[in-house]
Amino acid sequence: MNRDLFLALLLVVIVAGAGWWLYSQTRPAPAAVPLPSTEAPATAPSALPTEPVYRVPTINDPAYLVDLPALDDSDAYFQIELRNLFGVTLDRLLVESGGVERFVATIDNLPRKTVSESIRPLKPVAGSLLVVDGAISSENADRYAPYVTLFTQSDTQQLIGAYRRFYPLMQEAYQRLGDPDAYFNDRVVAVIDHLLETPDIDAPIAVTRPHVLYDFVDPSLQALSAGQKILVRIGSPHRQAVKSRLRELRDRLTRFDD
């Protein structure tokens, strides 16, 4: 077992959040508490299995037998866990409230067309997309380098217990999004599969800015989901590294080893 799984899952959200903010102008954060997504689920509830496909096993280690707080009271506990696992640098990047719910909602929204600002897990990132001569600059990838490095080179020697320990809260948060029979770990696997379908592009990517946000000139790219657009924007080398890590992550999510 190792902490790499939880770190990698969290960094999927971090890269997504950073990409969202670097792609748009920095705007004031809304004051509203994050709400469940109103967009139709990617999979119809009737098509969901009654039992999970990829069950997350219960932790049997006595060191983890202290009861979890209620989901609505978990922010401080979740922040302490993140700080202990990943240090204060990561802790400073995260929005302080609704940590578990934001994590779950963002993962759930990556295959959709947009990721609502109200559920983002990160504080706004300074700066904007770097564009030169109507195309994304190769230097834009540098903004993502710290996140991609953490995601692809994370320590594989520690417990994945953090993910399993907090999984009951993640599952509850996911059920609050609309379907009491849905299983969050299955959704994470499906989201990874979706992200792995992101097209690989080496040529400069043309963009236009009709309003506040940039759009891809290529309609096939503009039609991609929010998560896939993020992987396009981070650049080819980063995208290949992230995809490789996602494949490894998917393998671990689908067969936990005690």
Side-chain angles (χ1 to χ4, degrees):
M1 298 187 295
N2 55 69
R3 86 175 192 186
D4 181 49
L5 173 59
F6 184 70
L7 176 59
L9 279 172
L10 185 63
L11 286 169
V12 169
V13 176
I14 289 175
V15 171
W20 181 256
W21 281 99
L22 289 172
Y23 189 54
S24 63
Q25 286 186 327
T26 301
R27 288 176 287 181
V33 175
L35 299 174
S37 171
T38 57
E39 188 173 341
T43 304
S46 60
L48 291 170
T50 57
E51 293 294 330
V53 177
Y54 304 113
R55 182 178 295 278
V56 177
T58 302
I59 292 178
N60 296 316
D61 188 335
Y64 289 94
L65 293 183
V66 177
D67 290 340
L68 286 170
L71 177 59
D72 293 334
D73 299 322
S74 65
D75 286 345
Y77 195 87
F78 193 57
Q79 289 285 334
I80 291 171
E81 183 73 15
L82 295 179
R83 190 178 301 113
N84 289 339
L85 286 172
F86 314 123
V88 295
T89 300
L90 180 60
D91 184 42
R92 287 196 300 266
L93 296 173
L94 299 170
V95 173
E96 294 180 359
S97 64
V100 173
E101 291 169 298
R102 291 173 185 270
F103 175 83
V104 168
T106 300
I107 289 287
D108 183 54
N109 275 263
L110 288 177
R112 309 181 197 279
K113 293 301 180 183
T114 61
V115 178
S116 172
E117 294 177 12
S118 67
I119 63 171
R120 72 185 191 279
L122 287 179
K123 298 173 183 177
V125 177
S128 59
L129 190 74
L130 296 180
V131 176
V132 176
D133 296 330
I136 298 177
S137 170
S138 59
E139 295 181 359
N140 186 65
D142 294 342
R143 296 175 177 269
Y144 301 90
Y147 303 100
V148 174
T149 297
L150 284 173
F151 181 63
T152 58
Q153 300 181 14
S154 50
D155 187 349
T156 59
Q157 301 303 313
Q158 302 298 321
L159 296 177
I160 64 168
Y163 179 72
R164 289 172 59 181
R165 171 146 176 77
F166 278 89
Y167 190 79
L169 298 185
M170 295 177 187
Q171 176 62 23
E172 181 181 350
Y174 187 50
Q175 290 174 325
R176 287 185 181 183
L177 294 180
D179 193 326
D181 296 323
Y183 197 66
F184 180 59
N185 195 52
D186 290 348
R187 178 60 173 167
V188 174
V189 173
V191 170
I192 290 176
D193 288 341
H194 173 78
L195 294 176
L196 289 174
E197 294 174 352
T198 303
D200 293 315
I201 304 167
D202 295 322
I205 300 173
V207 293
T208 182
R209 197 175 192 178
H211 303 292
V212 175
L213 303 180
Y214 282 95
D215 290 341
F216 293 115
V217 172
D218 185 336
S220 66
L221 297 182
Q222 186 59 27
L224 295 176
S225 69
Q228 290 175 331
K229 286 179 178 177
I230 292 161
L231 288 182
V232 169
R233 290 194 297 270
I234 65 177
S236 181
H238 287 338
R239 182 169 56 254
Q240 295 303 325
V242 169
K243 279 189 171 185
S244 176
R245 195 56 157 169
L246 285 174
R247 292 186 186 96
E248 178 185 353
L249 177 58
R250 186 192 189 283
D251 180 64
R252 296 179 182 180
L253 281 167
T254 56
R255 52 183 188 90
F256 286 88
D257 296 321
D258 289 315

